[in-house]
Amino acid sequence: MNATIQTNLARLQIVKQKVLAALRKGENYELKTELNSEYKERRKEAVRRVIANMTVGKDVSGLFTDVLKNMHTDDLEIKKLIYLYLINYAKTQPDLVILAVNTFVKDSEDTNPLIRALAIRTMGCLHVQEVLDHLCDPLRKCLKDPSPYVRKTAVMCVAKVYDLSPAIAEENGFVEDVRRALSDANPMVISNAVTVLTEINEMAPGQNIWRLDSKTVPTLLAAINECVEWGQIAILEALAEYTPTTEKEAESICERLLPRLQHANGSVVLTTVRLLLKYEKYVHRADLLSQFSKKMVPPLITLLSSEPEIQYIALRNINIILQRHPKMLSKEIRVFFCKYNDPIYVKYEKLDVLVRICSERNTEPLLNELKEYAREVDVDFVRRAIQAIGRLAIRYESSADKAVKVLIELLQLKVNSVVQDVVVVLRDVFRRYPQNFADVVPTLCEHIDYVNEPDAKAALIWILGEYSEHISNIGNLLTTSIESFLEEEDEGVQLALVNSAVKFFLKRPQQGQALVLKALQTATEKCANPDVRDRAYIYWRLLSADPNSARAVALVEMPPVELESASLSAPLLEELIAELGSVASVLQKPAKLFVYKKTDKAGVPRDSEMANAGFDSAEGGAMSAGDNNTTGGIDTSNEGEPELLISF
């Protein structure tokens, strides 16, 4: 029975394949008939259907000759569609493309500038060596065409010719023609010429085919006002690579580019900011530098009212800018407050920026705002908000009291995840100000039953040992913890218990003797972890041989914890500022780590290259605190960034 069913299914599959093949064959046959129809409208509709099939991935290369027959038409729409078809199948059928060359050449001399530009653009996009010989003469004429639209299209075609054959581009003087196009009367031709020369420089590294000089700069500055966004960005990119010859020239360039900061396009704004930041080292007048800094603030703030994706890019770039100018946005702190409908990735970046721009005079409104964030439902966001409160407390002593009050208020919410994070952060604050907050410890001990994560347990036990003299029921608390010593799987918690038991004994010998003996016996006789056993043996021998030495070791005054810098290293910061507004500034990694050119080998690890160049990753990370050097709760690391390889 089963064999019969399988046989029938196999037959049905074969029939299905035959039917589909017949349908496909029938569709192409029908298109072939329509393409050769004597009626213009039917041919036009057939071309549309061919392009539609090509767009969805169907193979219509068998209709190549039939499509070519329809090139001789005055209908601009049909020409565009056929040219698109030719570009798509030129590499697979280069011999047949030659049949269309005469039409291309004829169209390049058409009276309509749109058709002339379309013909020269398509010939360049075909990227076939056989067509290249026929392209030179039409291209030469189009580079001198009276229509600026044709000229700017022809200029872009030179880059494609150079990519296919640099020798032909040089021999025919196309590169020199593009250089001359920099003095064209039309700004779009100038911007395209800048783009092409920049690309040619990248195609031929070390040859220095074109270099921006002081004579060309005024032309570019005059043209930038009339270009579209892409042209403005191309000119700004070129100017960013230019080194002014004098301070006066640098000042003049910056002043003429200030209006670009008011542009509606975010990329134009960020590229202008990049250029101004680079030219700062050539300008020495304090009043001008202050003016430039003030002018950069409004456009950066405006970007935060865009779509979430643009906000994220703007915030990542602002983070880099603030490391060069920490006080630039200190008066705009409320702009960075998180909104209820912000995506989580935007909220994370806003938190980082808020902590970075916060000054001593505006910590109170920020602490109140962070307290609200810590009441939200997203656990990761709440954790970051609590860590931000701790960072502010450690950075500004005058705000520590307010920050600790906020943390205690959050602790009293008795939300499990909040309690864990608050305990870890309070441990770091206590280490920073060891004598200031002893009165808070009893309140903290009231919530010991809510502490269940290893990091939080280790932090709380460290606090118990450090402030044992301020806790009335310290013996009961430590005894309860030591009874579950072997149930603790985390090494950090076990080490913290041993340390705290010894501290309690040294501070209160009579009450702590039995407790420390039990802790050390459990750690040395029953614990499987060698590090914990070794620590217990060392303490036991110290206490037995020389209690004073044990006191010097266990009760030594620890250095106050410092907030580690979340800033980038100086070399990496300079490189990222030079790439502001690009993918590199969003990933906060140099472009050379994830972009490779055709001459490079794709996928080669570049970590060693980065290390050799002296670039360090962001000096984030968390603060370590406690005797066991466990990771603290204030996380400034930048983990989970995507690895990219982008080929051009």
Side-chain angles (χ1 to χ4, degrees):
M1 183 69 178
N2 290 336
T4 305
I5 292 174
Q6 290 180 355
T7 303
N8 290 335
L9 288 174
R11 289 174 179 172
L12 286 173
Q13 189 65 26
I14 293 172
V15 171
K16 179 181 177 181
Q17 291 176 354
K18 289 182 178 179
V19 169
L20 290 175
L23 287 174
R24 284 195 293 268
K25 181 179 179 181
E27 184 178 13
N28 278 353
Y29 180 79
E30 181 183 346
L31 287 173
K32 185 181 181 72
T33 304
E34 294 293 322
L35 288 169
N36 291 282
S37 173
E38 59 180 319
Y39 300 106
K40 181 179 178 181
E41 287 302 320
R42 294 178 66 178
R43 294 198 303 270
K44 185 174 182 178
E45 184 60 30
V47 171
R48 288 174 177 166
R49 289 174 58 191
V50 168
I51 300 302
N53 289 345
M54 183 185 75
T55 304
V56 298
K58 294 182 180 179
D59 182 16
V60 287
S61 58
L63 302 172
F64 201 95
T65 53
D66 300 291
V67 173
L68 280 180
K69 294 177 183 178
N70 290 274
M71 284 185 65
H72 303 283
T73 177
D74 296 329
D75 192 319
L76 189 58
E77 179 188 353
I78 294 297
K79 271 191 184 296
K80 288 180 179 179
L81 293 176
I82 293 175
Y83 283 1
L84 183 63
Y85 178 89
L86 293 176
I87 292 171
N88 191 58
Y89 288 110
K91 288 187 178 181
T92 58
Q93 304 201 36
D95 296 335
L96 293 177
V97 171
I98 299 297
L99 301 176
V101 166
N102 290 334
T103 305
F104 284 132
V105 174
K106 181 180 178 182
D107 285 349
S108 67
E109 298 175 353
D110 195 275
T111 55
N112 188 340
L114 293 177
I115 294 179
R116 296 201 299 272
L118 181 62
I120 207 68
R121 179 192 292 120
T122 306
M123 290 182 77
C125 291
L126 291 176
H127 222 69
V128 176
Q129 188 69 39
E130 289 81 356
V131 177
L132 195 57
D133 296 333
H134 303 276
L135 172 61
C136 294
D137 289 337
L139 179 57
R140 189 177 296 107
K141 294 178 182 177
C142 288
L143 284 168
K144 300 175 182 179
D145 196 277
S147 170
Y149 180 77
V150 178
R151 292 201 303 275
K152 80 180 186 66
T153 305
V155 164
M156 295 301 292
C157 188
V158 172
K160 298 178 176 67
V161 173
Y162 193 94
D163 184 38
L164 194 59
S165 176
I168 290 179
E170 291 283 359
E171 289 171 5
N172 287 273
F174 293 148
V175 177
E176 188 59 36
D177 288 336
V178 176
R179 290 196 191 98
R180 283 195 291 268
L182 290 172
S183 57
D184 196 279
N186 186 278
M188 285 307 302
V189 177
I190 295 174
S191 64
N192 280 15
V194 171
T195 302
V196 168
L197 290 171
T198 304
E199 288 187 7
I200 290 176
N201 272 342
E202 293 176 357
M203 293 178 200
Q207 296 187 23
N208 199 21
I209 291 176
W210 176 69
R211 188 173 183 178
L212 186 59
D213 53 36
S214 56
K215 296 181 180 178
T216 313
V217 168
T219 305
L220 299 187
L221 292 174
I224 196 171
N225 296 322
E226 302 178 36
C227 293
V228 297
E229 289 91 338
W230 296 104
Q232 293 186 30
I233 293 170
I235 293 175
L236 288 170
E237 293 274 2
L239 290 171
E241 300 298 323
Y242 174 67
T243 302
T245 54
T246 63
E247 181 181 353
K248 186 176 181 181
E249 183 185 15
E251 293 174 0
S252 174
I253 293 174
C254 291
E255 288 175 348
R256 293 184 66 176
L257 289 176
L258 285 177
R260 298 301 98 211
L261 292 172
Q262 301 174 12
H263 202 282
N265 185 279
S267 184
V268 174
V269 171
L270 289 175
T271 310
T272 306
V273 170
R274 181 212 306 178
L275 192 145
L276 292 174
L277 290 175
K278 178 182 177 180
Y279 278 31
E280 280 181 344
K281 57 185 176 183
Y282 305 114
V283 179
H284 304 296
R285 285 176 53 188
D287 59 328
L288 272 181
L289 291 175
S290 176
Q291 178 189 351
F292 296 160
S293 181
K294 290 178 181 178
K295 291 283 188 180
M296 283 189 274
V297 172
L300 292 175
I301 298 301
T302 302
L303 290 176
L304 297 181
S305 59
S306 306
E307 298 82 0
E309 295 79 9
I310 302 297
Q311 289 185 50
Y312 177 76
I313 294 172
L315 288 165
R316 294 291 284 180
N317 284 274
I318 287 171
N319 199 309
I320 296 173
I321 296 168
L322 289 173
Q323 295 181 46
R324 170 75 75 84
H325 296 285
K327 298 181 180 180
M328 178 185 287
L329 297 169
S330 59
K331 296 181 181 179
E332 308 291 341
I333 189 168
R334 293 186 180 276
V335 176
F336 294 93
F337 284 175
C338 298
K339 300 175 182 177
Y340 75 95
N341 58 347
D342 280 340
I344 193 64
Y345 55 87
V346 172
K347 290 183 177 181
Y348 287 167
E349 292 304 318
K350 283 187 174 181
L351 268 183
D352 289 341
V353 172
L354 282 170
V355 174
R356 190 177 292 281
I357 67 176
C358 181
S359 61
E360 198 163 0
R361 62 184 176 80
N362 55 20
T363 51
E364 185 169 354
L366 180 54
L367 285 172
N368 292 331
E369 186 74 9
L370 292 173
K371 182 171 70 172
E372 296 302 318
Y373 298 163
R375 297 171 184 265
E376 294 198 10
V377 294
D378 189 284
V379 176
D380 289 333
F381 182 61
V382 169
R383 177 176 291 113
R384 292 190 183 220
I386 294 172
Q387 291 169 355
I389 294 172
R391 289 164 67 183
L392 292 177
I394 291 172
R395 181 185 296 175
Y396 303 114
E397 186 173 359
S398 61
S399 304
D401 288 336
K402 171 68 175 176
V404 171
K405 288 179 182 177
V406 170
L407 291 171
I408 294 300
E409 289 179 25
L410 295 173
L411 190 69
Q412 292 172 344
L413 295 175
K414 297 182 180 180
V415 178
N416 184 59
S417 59
V418 173
V419 171
Q420 318 304 317
D421 298 325
V422 168
V423 169
V424 175
V425 170
L426 278 174
R427 186 268 313 275
D428 295 333
V429 176
F430 290 168
R431 276 205 55 191
R432 181 68 178 87
Y433 310 107
Q435 308 300 327
N436 294 14
F437 301 106
D439 57 327
V440 176
V441 176
T443 306
L444 187 61
C445 294
E446 295 174 4
H447 299 80
I448 192 170
D449 294 335
Y450 295 92
V451 179
N452 48 37
E453 292 184 3
D455 284 347
K457 280 185 177 181
L460 181 58
I461 292 169
W462 177 85
I463 293 172
L464 294 178
E466 196 71 18
Y467 296 93
S468 57
E469 67 273 21
H470 299 282
I471 306 171
S472 57
N473 61 336
I474 180 65
N476 295 334
L477 295 176
L478 286 177
T479 300
T480 304
S481 299
I482 290 172
E483 287 175 354
S484 60
F485 185 92
L486 297 176
E487 299 175 8
E488 296 290 347
E489 298 181 358
D490 187 77
E491 174 188 342
V493 177
Q494 293 178 336
L495 288 171
L497 278 169
V498 172
N499 293 334
S500 294
V502 172
K503 288 179 180 180
F504 175 49
F505 169 71
L506 292 172
K507 292 179 179 181
R508 297 184 183 181
Q510 294 182 353
Q511 295 103 323
Q513 185 172 2
L515 189 143
V516 74
L517 182 61
K518 183 177 181 180
L520 294 178
Q521 282 179 340
T522 306
T524 54
E525 296 174 5
K526 300 179 181 179
C527 183
N529 190 300
D531 293 332
V532 178
R533 287 202 310 271
D534 290 347
R535 178 78 64 89
Y537 276 126
I538 291 172
Y539 275 134
W540 203 329
R541 289 167 184 167
L542 278 172
L543 292 171
S544 302
D546 188 358
N548 290 329
S549 297
R551 186 179 300 276
V553 171
L555 299 181
V556 64
E557 184 178 348
M558 300 184 67
V561 69
E562 298 289 344
L563 183 64
E564 293 186 6
S565 172
S567 301
L568 303 166
S569 62
L572 179 57
L573 177 61
E574 291 304 315
E575 180 145 342
L576 291 180
I577 285 177
E579 296 171 344
L580 211 64
S582 66
V583 178
S585 64
V586 176
L587 297 180
Q588 296 192 356
K589 294 181 179 180
K592 63 183 179 182
L593 296 185
F594 56 87
V595 177
Y596 64 92
K597 298 183 178 67
K598 293 181 179 179
T599 54
D600 297 334
K601 187 175 181 181
V604 176
R606 303 192 179 195
D607 293 341
S608 58
E609 179 184 344
M610 185 178 184
N612 294 335
F615 295 117
D616 302 321
S617 61
E619 298 171 358
M623 296 181 300
S624 61
D627 296 340
N628 55 348
N629 293 327
T630 56
T631 302
I634 300 177
D635 184 12
T636 57
S637 63
N638 194 10
E639 299 177 355
E641 289 186 343
E643 294 290 336
L644 294 182
L645 278 179
I646 302 173
S647 174
F648 291 115

